[in-house]
Amino acid sequence: MKVAIIGTGAYGLALALTIVENKHQVMMWTKFEQEKRIIEENHQYEKVLPNIKIPRSIQITLDMKECIDQAELIMIAVPAGFVNDICLEMKNWIKPNQHICIASKGIEQGTYLFINDVVKKHIDTPNIAVISGPSFAIDIASKMPIGLTLATKNKETDSIIKSALENSHFKLRSTGDIYGTEICGAIKNVIAIASGMLNGLNAPESTQAMFITESLHDIKALIQKLGGDGKTILSFAGFGDLLLTCTSKKSRNFTFGQYLATKSQSEIEEYINTHTIEGLYTLKAIYKLISDKEVDIPIINLIYDTVFHQKNPKELLTFLIEKE
């Protein structure tokens, strides 16, 4: 089976390594000629996956048509903000029998669409799925045990993606709740900012556990109010990803939260300008989305006011006690 992967970032490359290990053909697309050259010449991409060898069998192309031609499965692994442009180009070449797996997380700025809706805006297909869960790219590439949620309403799509990815160290659990899975994948980056704030305030592990528990309830309520299945909060995409992102110092969202609690405004702004903080962009979108839908999620309002209106991070401690 040929698998096309759109994007040659850390996550796309990690998925490619797993798929090649499972004896499938992989072709990856990038729009950056320098990225293509680095991978092809060095068979490594130290910037994103240090000390990981990239097999010669993984092909890299700058040509979208070549990449997706005759691919049974197309995986989208680019930042959320680029998915719309990717789909505008893909729709010129994609065939009705091809399957799409979304590995991107987030909400599109401006439209406040979830990623599967961005894809469906341009590509009319029932063969669509989302994968999400607690998985740093380096851990996938290092063949450590990983579990992800696979959300799709199409049995054939489910089967094809499992054939591509599942093996002795990579596990997928199926669900039909695409929106619940996407909500979890997007909002966990926002919640991680608040978790970083607590760490910066030297809050003990007991308080962190309290915060994560309260966040689970809020995310479950949001999933239900936006038409998803509340049970998804207990999946790899839900509790699993929230736990990882809210406790790992590898997370830029967590580190940004620490900055909010410990650094000056100029240092915070410098961090924003020099790092990609997915939770920051998602925060703007989710704040507008819940406002438009008239959904009351107080923790989102508090994080938004702390980030954009310089509310004192210490108010998070009071909030946790007073929250209903």
Side-chain angles (χ1 to χ4, degrees):
M1 173 170 70
K2 178 183 175 181
V3 179
I5 299 181
I6 310 302
T8 52
Y11 208 76
L13 284 166
L15 293 173
L17 291 169
T18 304
I19 295 165
V20 166
E21 182 187 353
N22 289 348
K23 310 301 181 185
H24 299 294
Q25 176 189 355
V26 173
M27 180 174 284
M28 305 185 73
W29 174 89
T30 177
K31 70 174 182 178
F32 302 110
E33 191 168 344
Q34 183 183 17
E35 213 166 52
K36 179 178 185 291
R37 179 178 53 78
I38 289 171
I39 296 171
E40 289 181 333
E41 289 181 0
N42 302 324
H43 303 291
Q44 283 183 286
Y45 196 2
E46 286 289 321
K47 178 182 175 182
V48 299
L49 283 181
N51 303 316
I52 298 294
K53 291 290 184 182
I54 300 171
R56 294 175 183 270
S57 60
I58 294 178
Q59 297 175 283
I60 313 293
T61 182
L62 302 171
D63 186 334
M64 179 70 76
K65 181 182 179 182
E66 179 187 23
C67 186
I68 69 175
D69 184 47
Q70 297 186 45
E72 193 167 345
L73 174 63
I74 301 167
M75 306 194 77
I76 299 175
V78 297
F82 296 101
V83 173
N84 187 74
D85 290 343
I86 291 298
C87 290
L88 276 171
E89 186 170 356
M90 274 176 51
K91 74 176 186 178
N92 296 315
W93 318 113
I94 197 165
K95 301 292 193 302
N97 63 334
Q98 292 178 300
H99 298 259
I100 298 174
C101 178
I102 300 165
S104 306
K105 299 176 182 178
I107 302 174
E108 187 179 55
Q109 296 295 315
T111 65
Y112 314 115
L113 292 174
F114 290 100
I115 304 303
N116 83 92
D117 286 324
V118 176
V119 174
K120 289 188 289 189
K121 182 171 63 174
H122 302 293
I123 302 169
D124 183 16
T125 177
N127 308 331
I128 193 166
V130 172
I131 54 171
S132 187
S135 53
F136 289 129
I138 189 63
D139 296 334
I140 298 174
S142 300
K143 300 183 180 182
M144 300 306 295
I146 296 294
L148 300 183
T149 297
L150 167 57
T152 181
K153 298 184 183 299
N154 187 300
K155 289 184 178 179
E156 186 181 1
T157 302
D158 180 275
S159 177
I160 286 170
I161 294 170
K162 284 181 175 176
S163 172
L165 290 173
E166 281 197 320
N167 57 29
S168 61
H169 56 86
F170 200 113
K171 181 176 188 175
L172 293 168
R173 283 198 184 276
S174 299
T175 176
D177 185 19
I178 293 175
Y179 284 101
T181 300
E182 282 227 63
I183 291 165
C184 289
I187 201 171
K188 57 98 180 184
N189 286 326
V190 176
I191 302 300
I193 293 173
S195 185
M197 287 163 50
L198 285 174
N199 185 269
L201 294 169
N202 294 317
E205 292 173 345
S206 299
T207 305
Q208 287 278 7
M210 176 191 186
F211 167 71
I212 291 173
T213 304
E214 290 286 0
S215 297
L216 286 170
H217 288 293
D218 284 353
I219 298 170
K220 179 181 178 181
L222 180 61
I223 290 170
Q224 291 171 325
K225 288 177 180 178
L226 294 181
D229 184 348
K231 293 179 182 177
T232 300
I233 193 59
L234 298 177
S235 68
F236 289 134
F239 177 69
D241 213 358
L242 186 68
L243 182 64
L244 176 67
T245 313
C246 287
T247 59
S248 175
K249 295 179 181 179
K250 294 180 185 178
S251 165
R252 289 187 294 270
N253 302 292
F254 184 92
T255 302
F256 176 61
Q258 288 179 313
Y259 267 60
L260 289 172
T262 59
K263 304 293 185 180
S264 67
Q265 190 59 35
S266 61
E267 289 174 307
I268 292 168
E269 290 174 2
E270 182 181 356
Y271 188 80
I272 291 172
N273 293 331
T274 54
H275 295 79
T276 299
I277 309 166
E278 289 287 352
L280 187 60
Y281 306 111
T282 304
L283 174 59
K284 295 177 183 177
I286 202 77
Y287 179 81
K288 183 66 166 59
L289 179 65
I290 63 175
S291 297
D292 289 350
K293 299 286 186 180
E294 298 182 347
V295 178
D296 185 29
I297 308 291
I299 185 63
I300 297 298
N301 297 330
L302 177 62
I303 298 170
Y304 187 90
D305 287 341
T306 304
V307 172
F308 296 109
H309 298 145
Q310 286 81 57
K311 178 173 277 192
N312 192 327
K314 290 182 180 179
E315 293 196 26
L316 178 57
L317 301 174
T318 306
F319 169 83
L320 287 173
I321 294 297
E322 295 180 349
K323 181 178 180 292
E324 294 183 0

